[in-house]
Amino acid sequence: MPEPKMPEPLHVVGRSVPRSDAASHVSGRTRFAGDYTFPGMLHLKMVRSPVHHAMIRGVDLSGAERVPGFVRALTWRDVPHNVYTILGLIGVEPEEEFVLSQDRVRYKGEPIVAIVAETEAAALEAVSEVRLDLEELPAVFDVEEALQAGAPIVTHWGSNAFMFEGHPSRRVRFGDVEAGFAQADHIVEATYNSSPIEQAPTETTGCVAVPEAGGRFTVYTNTQALYFSLDNTAIILQVPGKQLHFVGGTVGGGFGGKVDVIVEPIATLAAMKTGRPVRYVFSRSEEMQVSSTRSAWRIRVRDGVMRDGRIVARQVTSYADSGAYSRQTPYALTKHAANAAGPYAIPNVSIDAYCVFTNRTPSSAMRGFGVTMASYAVEVQMDRIAERVGVDPWTIRFINAYRNGDIRPHRKPAEDATLIETMQAAAALVGHELTDDQRTLTSGPRASEPAGSPGGEAAPAGSPAAGAAGSAGTPAVVAGSTAEGVR
Amino acid sequence: MTVADYFLPRSLPEALELLREHGPSLLVMAGGTVTMPLINEGISLPRQVMGLRFAGLDGLEPVDGGLRIGATVTLTGLLRQRHVPMLAQAARRTASWSIRNMGTVGGNLFTPPPGGDVAVALLALDAQVEVRSRDASRTLPLSEFQTGFMTTALEPGELVTGIGVPAVAGETAYLKFGRKEANTPSVVTVAVRVRREEDRVVDARVALGAVGPHALRASRAEAILVGSSLDPGAIDEAAEAAAAECDPFDDGVASAWYRRAMVRLFVRRALEGLAQPVAVEGR
Amino acid sequence: MASRIVSFELCGREVEVLVKPMTTLQFVLRNQLGYTGTKEGCRQGGCGSCTVLVDGEPMMSCLLPVEDVAGRRVTTIEGITPVEGLAPIQQAFVDTNAFQCGYCTPGMVMLTTALLDHNPAPSREEAVEALGGNVCRCTGYAPIIDAIEAASASATGDATRDAGVMPDRSGER
């Protein structure tokens, strides 16, 4: 039996190591997607809907075609598979978003015709020469109005609610919420609203698609989700994935704003149709108007609370404004529903979370997905409860904090509860005096049964990571995730 | 069409000749901080543009206790002069360092609200606008120069060559309130000038920015102040009058309602600052 | 739409470019000369990621027709980076983690270079004011101010501003 080897001092773990891209960032040598230029490169600019909701009666390209430098226009007829759903890769249905609008526009800024020209100035000028014949339709901008009978229907299948396995909401049912309300001493109710929030990366969304020998295309892109973008592009263009080579990982700010596969399919199609490299980079106003935002939310919370501060029932009805298409919002709704009860042990919970289509800019991912707004609503609600019951905001949270092994409303045991320890640390930092009970409490299981089986959150979509052995005992990590800023 | 000609005249006569030759279709640009974003976005597609950067209009000199500011003096140039402190203050609160190195005082007279902060200070100082064409020249008060949203009293063939600021009579205060500290469009900009004789106000200017189609004088507020001792009652009344007579708008920065409320607050703060000689700082 | 030749000094050498009227300095740098260190965040003068120095003064290259810099001295991030290693302000950015995604960084480095040229020992307030036109979406600015202080201390030999005692932000999210 060999001698057990003494552990060598660690070189990376537990130490601060410089970022590998540091020197290149501060010297301007890092190449971002928009930094790539190629001989003969063309520029793509988009003709967009000037209104929120309209039927397209006609598109007149003749003025654009006369602009010097105009190369060609692309319409929906040029797109091999024009209707797609980004989350189709993980089984979300139906296919619903149009790469280029066919007969109807559903939000202001929706792309209708792509113009490819020799220079960006020529592309912009040609865009300004395209004449649209639109018949404007009534539009809806409020989630609850959109669900009422008689509201303008945004989708092409007749419902403004995204269907989760046959239901118009993502539902969580746990215990008996009505029995909880009946038993409660207090009912605390409130509604929480938020506006859409633009991720506002400093680098706008964009890519350059380059035809290579042998029918391949190299796409330099600032997507946060390289393989997700590649796969969706392959589906939209109906080409095998091996025909596409996506180069990325360098993202000038993402925060969830660059996961929606918006520029790569159409830029690659333009490169296919022209045989030349094509650059498609959003202007700042496109980034603000068209790129998806964090959803606007309306969250109604109704809690049943005992005189001693214990929450015995929580009913949450949430509406996320998905805008005209679903993008990543159904996924955000699922995360929202799983977390809308907060990090608290509540025996009776009922949650209905609606993903609602309106004529606003499609919303999608932003840091924390649907959990951020759930936390906002739940934590303000906790303060309201504390006020009603007459205890301080710390106490109400210590009373209700979940512990490892508690079964959460979605039927999974809590595994890594740290609310109590976090509050204890926070109290020490701000000099808040805790009671003896609060000081000695832990998130350990309430009884002797073991906590739930270990698990972990899956890697975010589009960020496949694989460990690979490096040479000479040096570990190598290969990751599809991107360095995109964290705030 | 993309720009066909970009003229960079090397002298004023050359600039005036180009203006005469090409007429109103010639877009005149100084620092480019307002025009270039529109061109870059494809919102403005001018055929012919004249840039004034080398036209020799960038002189700044003290005149009779006041100041004569060439039209293309940069905001940085205005910030660095020491003759009229309120103008340095207004420049400092306008845009950012890099933009001030490009943007010009003349250009600021053409900057639509909620921009145009320097013009507000100039209005309170009774600035005169020097206008030249190839064959004539005239001078008109700034209060008559700005006529509407992005419209001026400029006739075809005329060019703003400079701005005259008379010797400052009285005390001044300048407050700009935006959503953040720096490089921010204005919610409201307030510039006041008050001349007192033996505790009584004998002359008053209350100029407001970002609450109308261009920089405005609150003339009813001014009338209330004249004859007063800048007492709290008069200040309240003047602030109320200014809020009532401005013409605010909704935009991404603030609502009209909020702007009006902030006119009331910041006119009062500016006047209180003059009444009690303690430093006031606007956000 | 006649193109014309414009010549100017770029990072210490004379360059000549053939341009259509009113092509921006930003476009010429990035697309004609390959100087892609100058970034393109908004093309409205609103973000500062395209900041360059013209005759030593910071300007936004997205708002400058290249004809306007004819005969003038233009310095970009490529021009302040030494052949080997980094300039003190660049090293300070690395040491204080003054960037995350890196997109605003070249503009920030150029602006802070100009600041330290004008004012070798700026106060934190002066640094904040100077940075007013440059947007960083990731860091929250504090580490960038730290970098300015660190570079200033290393240049002025100010022992009280030791770059080694920068606050530890490694745990921040």
Side-chain angles (χ1 to χ4, degrees):
Chain A
M1 190 139 174
E3 286 282 305
K5 230 172 134 188
M6 287 297 289
E8 287 177 27
L10 297 171
H11 298 290
V12 173
V13 175
R15 287 165 190 264
S16 187
V17 292
R19 286 173 56 152
S20 61
D21 54 7
S24 116
H25 276 350
V26 297
S27 59
R29 289 187 180 116
T30 301
R31 291 186 90 187
F32 291 85
D35 295 341
Y36 289 89
T37 50
F38 297 90
M41 186 172 76
L42 299 171
H43 299 261
L44 190 153
K45 288 283 162 189
M46 199 60 82
V47 177
R48 299 183 179 281
S49 171
V51 297
H52 298 284
H53 199 185
M55 297 304 295
I56 303 173
R57 295 294 176 213
V59 177
D60 178 4
L61 298 172
S62 55
E65 287 163 356
R66 284 194 293 270
V67 171
F70 171 89
V71 173
R72 73 166 290 165
L74 300 168
T75 69
W76 66 272
R77 289 186 183 83
D78 296 301
V79 186
H81 188 77
N82 192 44
V83 194
Y84 75 118
T85 285
I86 298 167
L87 291 181
L89 294 178
I90 56 169
V92 171
E93 295 177 319
E95 292 191 315
E96 44 124 31
E97 182 159 3
F98 300 86
V99 177
L100 294 173
S101 296
Q102 298 183 192
D103 59 345
R104 182 147 75 111
V105 283
R106 294 169 169 80
Y107 68 95
K108 188 176 173 180
E110 183 160 1
I112 301 171
V113 179
I115 299 286
V116 188
E118 295 286 350
T119 64
E120 196 183 342
L124 282 171
E125 191 184 338
V127 164
S128 76
E129 294 293 336
V130 174
R131 296 288 167 262
L132 299 173
D133 180 9
L134 302 176
E135 181 190 330
E136 218 173 328
L137 300 171
V140 62
F141 304 108
D142 181 88
V143 284
E144 287 180 284
E145 283 171 24
L147 294 181
Q148 279 164 15
I153 297 297
V154 180
T155 62
H156 54 83
W157 61 87
S159 158
N160 283 342
F162 180 88
M163 300 303 280
F164 293 90
E165 287 95 37
H167 298 280
S169 63
R170 177 59 85 195
R171 301 170 310 154
V172 175
R173 298 287 183 269
F174 185 63
D176 182 343
V177 78
E178 289 305 329
F181 287 136
Q183 160 200 2
D185 296 315
H186 303 285
I187 301 292
V188 181
E189 271 183 287
T191 302
Y192 302 90
N193 292 291
S194 71
S195 299
I197 300 171
E198 163 59 35
Q199 298 86 352
T202 328
E203 175 208 39
T204 60
T205 302
C207 72
V208 182
V210 184
E212 307 285 1
R216 286 188 98 206
F217 293 85
T218 304
V219 181
Y220 301 87
T221 166
N222 58 25
T223 177
Q224 284 174 250
L226 204 62
Y227 297 101
F228 220 67
S229 298
L230 189 153
D231 288 351
N232 270 302
T233 302
I235 291 167
I236 289 165
L237 301 182
Q238 297 285 289
V239 297
K242 67 181 180 185
Q243 217 172 308
L244 303 174
H245 175 207
F246 273 43
V247 179
T250 301
V251 184
F255 324 103
K258 289 176 178 162
V259 291
D260 287 336
V261 200
I262 300 301
V263 291
E264 297 89 348
I266 197 72
T268 309
L269 179 66
M272 280 178 178
K273 296 285 187 184
T274 61
R276 292 168 64 179
V278 174
R279 176 190 282 171
Y280 179 18
V281 177
F282 276 1
S283 69
R284 177 55 53 182
S285 49
E286 282 178 305
E287 190 72 32
M288 295 303 289
Q289 176 71 43
V290 177
S291 83
S292 44
T293 61
R294 184 196 290 285
S295 307
W297 287 81
R298 182 166 304 147
I299 303 172
R300 300 193 190 283
V301 188
R302 176 176 157 86
D303 287 337
V305 186
M306 303 308 290
R307 208 166 279 120
D308 62 7
R310 280 178 301 123
I311 304 169
V312 291
R314 171 161 285 172
Q315 186 170 40
V316 181
T317 310
S318 298
Y319 306 90
D321 187 340
S322 185
Y325 299 107
S326 67
R327 297 199 180 166
Q328 319 265 344
T329 305
Y331 180 64
L333 258 297
T334 299
K335 291 195 70 156
H336 174 89
N339 289 280
Y344 304 105
I346 304 173
N348 304 295
V349 174
S350 174
I351 295 165
D352 285 274
Y354 294 85
C355 172
V356 186
F357 296 100
T358 69
N359 293 106
R360 298 220 265 191
T361 302
S363 62
S364 190
M366 188 171 173
R367 308 210 59 81
F369 268 106
V371 184
T372 313
M373 295 320 299
S375 297
Y376 159 68
V378 163
E379 294 309 322
V380 179
Q381 180 77 3
M382 294 304 284
D383 289 354
R384 279 182 206 270
I385 293 170
E387 203 169 280
R388 178 72 69 87
V389 174
V391 299
D392 67 69
W394 299 85
T395 302
I396 200 70
R397 289 171 170 83
F398 275 107
I399 290 171
N400 289 288
Y402 69 172
R403 319 270 190 89
N404 285 319
D406 284 352
I407 301 300
R408 303 191 60 202
H410 54 59
R411 303 301 201 289
K412 293 260 172 73
E415 289 156 354
D416 49 2
T418 51
L419 175 58
I420 288 165
E421 290 75 9
T422 304
M423 288 198 292
Q424 288 162 341
L429 284 171
V430 301
H432 175 76
E433 190 93 4
L434 297 177
T435 66
D436 287 347
D437 283 352
Q438 290 169 352
R439 244 194 311 277
T440 52
L441 211 58
T442 76
S443 292
R446 290 177 203 269
S448 57
E449 75 264 34
S453 60
E457 200 170 330
S463 304
S471 58
T474 323
V477 176
V478 182
S481 56
T482 54
E484 45 101 359
V486 298
R487 294 258 168 184
Chain B
M1 294 293 273
T2 48
V3 177
D5 298 299
Y6 180 45
F7 303 107
L8 279 168
R10 298 277 156 172
S11 68
L12 177 60
E14 196 186 332
L16 295 173
E17 185 55 39
L18 282 162
L19 207 51
R20 192 200 59 82
E21 186 184 334
H22 296 282
S25 67
L26 181 66
L27 179 70
V28 179
M29 180 173 108
T33 58
V34 174
T35 302
M36 291 300 289
L38 300 175
I39 294 178
N40 287 343
E41 285 277 347
I43 295 166
S44 170
L45 299 164
R47 287 283 289 155
Q48 293 176 316
V49 182
M50 175 166 75
L52 295 178
R53 210 169 237 117
F54 305 119
L57 300 174
D58 56 352
L60 183 145
E61 60 268 320
V63 178
D64 300 334
L67 203 56
R68 196 262 169 196
I69 307 161
T72 67
V73 167
T74 62
L75 297 175
T76 296
L78 194 67
L79 196 159
R80 292 199 178 138
Q81 60 80 31
R82 293 283 173 268
H83 307 284
V84 184
M86 181 159 75
L87 288 177
Q89 202 184 348
R92 187 174 181 180
R93 297 302 315 276
T94 302
S96 64
W97 184 12
S98 305
I99 297 293
R100 287 193 295 267
N101 284 339
M102 307 173 74
T104 66
V105 181
N108 201 264
L109 306 186
F110 295 86
T111 303
D117 294 323
V118 170
V120 183
L122 289 169
L123 191 59
L125 296 171
D126 287 350
Q128 301 284 314
V129 183
E130 293 172 14
V131 173
R132 290 277 301 272
S133 63
R134 197 190 60 164
D135 304 318
S137 65
R138 62 180 176 131
T139 298
L140 70 166
L142 176 56
S143 55
E144 291 169 23
F145 177 80
Q146 294 183 321
T147 55
F149 181 76
M150 296 187 86
T151 60
T152 67
L154 221 50
E155 301 285 343
E158 284 186 332
L159 191 69
V160 172
T161 53
I163 294 122
V165 179
V168 179
E171 311 138 275
T172 59
Y174 180 89
L175 296 177
K176 173 178 172 178
F177 174 59
R179 293 272 293 267
K180 56 192 183 93
E181 285 289 332
N183 195 30
T184 186
S186 185
V187 172
V188 62
T189 299
V190 175
V192 298
R193 180 168 62 85
V194 168
R195 190 157 63 84
R196 282 187 279 191
E197 281 173 10
E198 303 194 348
D199 264 13
R200 289 284 154 187
V201 174
V202 295
D203 196 15
R205 294 289 178 278
V206 177
L208 306 174
V211 288
H214 52 79
L216 298 172
R217 270 177 60 182
S219 47
R220 282 199 277 134
E222 292 173 356
I224 288 163
L225 292 172
V226 172
S228 82
S229 60
L230 226 50
D231 52 289
I235 289 176
D236 274 353
E237 208 185 323
E240 207 59 57
E245 67 189 304
C246 67
D247 181 18
F249 49 86
D250 290 319
D251 67 0
V253 178
S255 68
W257 175 88
Y258 184 62
R259 282 197 155 98
R260 198 182 291 281
M262 292 302 104
V263 167
R264 191 178 297 119
L265 179 65
F266 280 86
V267 167
R268 199 177 73 216
R269 280 191 189 170
L271 293 170
E272 282 172 352
L274 294 182
Q276 312 151 357
V278 288
V280 284
E281 271 296 320
R283 268 202 56 192
Chain C
M1 201 160 56
S3 293
R4 66 173 95 167
I5 293 170
V6 176
S7 60
F8 59 99
E9 185 189 317
L10 176 60
C11 302
R13 69 186 177 97
E14 283 298 318
V15 293
E16 286 190 342
V17 287
L18 183 64
V19 291
K20 296 249 191 295
M22 285 191 92
T23 305
T24 63
L25 174 61
Q26 176 186 53
F27 182 92
V28 167
L29 289 171
R30 292 174 53 77
N31 295 287
Q32 287 182 241
L33 298 171
Y35 278 53
T36 55
T38 298
K39 297 301 175 200
E40 190 176 88
C42 73
R43 300 202 299 185
Q44 298 178 12
C47 76
S49 66
C50 69
T51 305
V52 301
L53 308 187
V54 178
D55 294 335
E57 296 291 333
M59 293 194 190
M60 303 228 186
S61 60
C62 70
L63 303 181
L64 266 178
V66 70
E67 293 96 324
D68 286 38
V69 301
R72 300 171 80 182
R73 186 163 48 88
V74 175
T75 310
T76 66
I77 185 102
E78 288 86 354
I80 64 140
T81 306
V83 176
E84 283 184 36
L86 298 170
I89 183 64
Q90 293 171 317
Q91 188 60 50
F93 267 64
V94 174
D95 294 342
T96 63
N97 287 314
F99 54 86
Q100 285 177 24
C101 82
Y103 199 78
C104 74
T105 310
M108 288 285 181
V109 168
M110 293 314 292
L111 198 284
T112 52
T113 296
L115 172 64
L116 294 171
D117 285 348
H118 284 75
N119 180 357
S123 66
R124 282 186 86 86
E125 290 69 28
E126 288 167 333
V128 167
E129 185 173 348
L131 287 175
N134 287 55
V135 174
C136 174
R137 176 64 179 76
C138 300
T139 62
Y141 301 98
I144 298 172
I145 312 292
D146 293 344
I148 294 171
E149 280 200 329
S152 158
S154 68
T156 57
D158 184 345
T160 62
R161 287 183 179 170
D162 183 353
V165 295
M166 283 301 133
D168 179 15
R169 289 199 165 72
S170 54
E172 284 188 18
R173 280 291 177 274

